[in-house]
């Protein structure tokens, strides 16, 4: 997980007494960032934190295509930050890693295909493997890398469907 400032200074509120810090955060990080927001505001009463939740690749498009300028961007990984750097929205060297994800394999609650390991994805009973698109989303990129490392990526191509967002997948 990565964060970077986007070169914008904090805005003053309508009263001029509080600074507003706007942070774009991926939806999957709502719980830790709600807690971090509350802790930060508690220890910095002169600052109001505006957390804007959206998908990582949508955040990139909001910044690069629409010109939005948050004070900070949190990304689920390197792909989004590299795209922001390449687009000139983030200065090289400004990106700071601050956490990590663990790979998780989801199966339907009833699990009719009996999936409990990555190699189980090769079973004929597994008809579809939905992932975030690796070209647009770090979660999808890391999924692809894990499947390649396990020797499964090429073997699973006929089952893989790619989606814009991890939550959709």
């Amino acid at each position: 997980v990565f964060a970077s400032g986007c070169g914008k200074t904090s805005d003053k509120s309508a009263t001029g007494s509080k600074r507003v810090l706007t942070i774009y955060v991926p939806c999957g990080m709502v719980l830790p960032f709600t807690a971090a927001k509350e802790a930060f505001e508690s220890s910095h009463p002169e600052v109001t934190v505006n957390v804007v939740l959206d998908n990582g690749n949508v955040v990139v498009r909001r910044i690069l295509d629409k010109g939005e300028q948050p004070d900070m961007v949190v990304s689920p990984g390197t792909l989004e930050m590299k795209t922001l750097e390449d687009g000139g929205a983030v200065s090289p060297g400004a990106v700071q890693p601050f956490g990590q994800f663990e790979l998780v394999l989801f199966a339907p609650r009833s699990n009719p295909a009996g999936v409990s390991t990555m190699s189980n994805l090769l079973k004929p009973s597994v008809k579809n493997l939905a992932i975030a698109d690796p070209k647009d989303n770090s979660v999808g990129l890391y999924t692809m890398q894990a499947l390649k490392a396990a020797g499964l990526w090429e073997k699973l191509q006929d089952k893989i469907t790619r989606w814009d967002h991890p939550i959709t997948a």
Side-chain angles (χ1 to χ4, degrees):
V1 182
F2 297 83
S4 179
C6 290
K8 179 184 152 203
T9 58
S10 296
D11 297 323
K12 296 278 185 181
S13 68
T15 65
S17 62
K18 277 195 160 196
R19 289 182 289 160
V20 177
L21 178 67
T22 300
I23 304 174
Y24 285 13
V25 177
C27 300
M29 297 181 191
V30 65
L31 293 177
F33 271 88
T34 298
K37 168 190 165 37
E38 291 169 2
F40 184 85
E41 286 177 335
S42 176
S43 64
H44 297 84
E46 74 283 4
V47 179
T48 297
V49 178
N50 178 28
V51 174
V52 177
L53 297 167
D54 216 329
N55 289 294
N57 51 338
V58 173
V59 165
V60 169
R61 289 194 300 263
R62 288 176 70 165
I63 293 168
L64 295 180
D65 298 345
K66 296 182 179 181
E68 296 181 20
Q69 295 183 338
D71 297 297
M72 182 182 289
V73 176
V74 177
S75 169
T78 56
L79 183 63
E80 293 82 1
M81 286 307 198
K82 173 103 173 75
T83 303
L84 289 172
E85 282 184 18
D86 291 349
V90 174
S91 300
V95 176
Q96 296 296 315
F98 70 92
Q100 63 187 22
F101 280 119
E102 291 183 21
L103 181 64
V104 178
L105 176 63
F106 290 97
R109 188 177 311 270
S110 62
N111 199 2
V115 175
S116 61
T117 67
M118 285 182 19
S119 61
N120 291 156
L121 297 172
L122 295 171
K123 291 180 175 183
S125 57
V126 175
K127 305 293 185 203
N128 185 37
L129 175 61
I131 67 169
D133 195 328
K135 69 178 178 48
D136 294 325
N137 190 286
S138 289
V139 174
L141 176 66
Y142 300 149
T143 300
M144 179 183 74
Q145 290 171 347
L147 290 170
K148 281 184 174 184
L152 301 173
W153 180 252
E154 295 303 324
K155 297 173 186 175
L156 291 169
Q157 287 305 299
D158 292 341
K159 297 180 181 190
I160 292 176
T161 57
R162 293 165 177 82
W163 297 86
D164 284 343
H165 313 296
I167 192 71
T168 307

